[in-house]
Amino acid sequence: LISASSIKSGSVKNSVVSAVKSLDVQIDGAIVVNCTAKKIVAGKNAILYNIVDLSDEGIVAGEGDVVVSVTEEDGTMMELKSKHSICGGKAWKDIVEGNPMTFEDVMKKNKDANVTAIEKKRRELHKNASDSFGI
């Protein structure tokens, strides 16, 4: 299923893709939502959410990878990684997959965040990135 996306080339198989802007994708058995990158590769059971990537390599997620981006009001984005096999509840207080902080620390840091301002900034970041790719 592909919804509200602009994808120039590539393939999407057995996946859910929504609000994705990319020049080329290879998505197979994954969920990709609100991601903008020159290239997106997502393997089986991968989940990608809210990512803006300006690199030529783009976003690459292997089988079972979970990658989300947390945006702050100033536009700073922090990627958090996990695996489909990791229970977020059990790992709530643990640093996993090389993340800079625990899931609990991220929640505490963003507890009083201005989500309206963050969403406005996130939209701006996605638009600027897709415009730079010519999408």
Side-chain angles (χ1 to χ4, degrees), residues 2-17:
I2 301 173
S3 171
S5 297
S6 180
I7 298 169
K8 296 293 184 185
S9 67
S11 68
V12 176
K13 300 176 190 170
N14 305 314
S15 299
V16 175
V17 174

Side-chain angles (χ1 to χ4, degrees), residues 46-70:
I47 300 172
L48 302 174
Y49 180 65
N50 270 348
I51 302 169
V52 175
D53 187 302
L54 300 173
S55 71
D56 288 334
E57 300 81 28
I59 304 165
V60 179
E63 185 171 341
D65 286 349
V66 178
V67 184
V68 302
S69 182
V70 179

Side-chain angles (χ1 to χ4, degrees), residues 14 19 27-28 31 33 57 60 72 78-79 87 90 98 129 133:
N14 305 314
I27 302 172
D28 186 4
I31 299 170
V33 176
E57 300 81 28
V60 179
E72 296 184 25
M78 173 180 58
E79 280 192 4
C87 173
K90 291 179 182 174
F133 308 152

Side-chain angles (χ1 to χ4, degrees), residues 64-90:
D65 286 349
V66 178
V67 184
V68 302
S69 182
V70 179
T71 307
E72 296 184 25
E73 290 178 46
D74 67 359
T76 303
M77 300 182 90
M78 173 180 58
E79 280 192 4
L80 290 175
K81 297 180 180 182
S82 189
K83 291 280 190 185
H84 201 268
S85 59
I86 295 173
C87 173
K90 291 179 182 174

Side-chain angles (χ1 to χ4, degrees), residues 98-117:
N99 291 329
M101 60 180 66
T102 69
F103 298 129
E104 180 182 49
D105 291 338
V106 173
M107 186 270 308
K108 287 178 181 176
K109 181 179 178 185
N110 289 289
K111 183 177 144 194
D112 297 318
N114 181 339
V115 293
T116 303

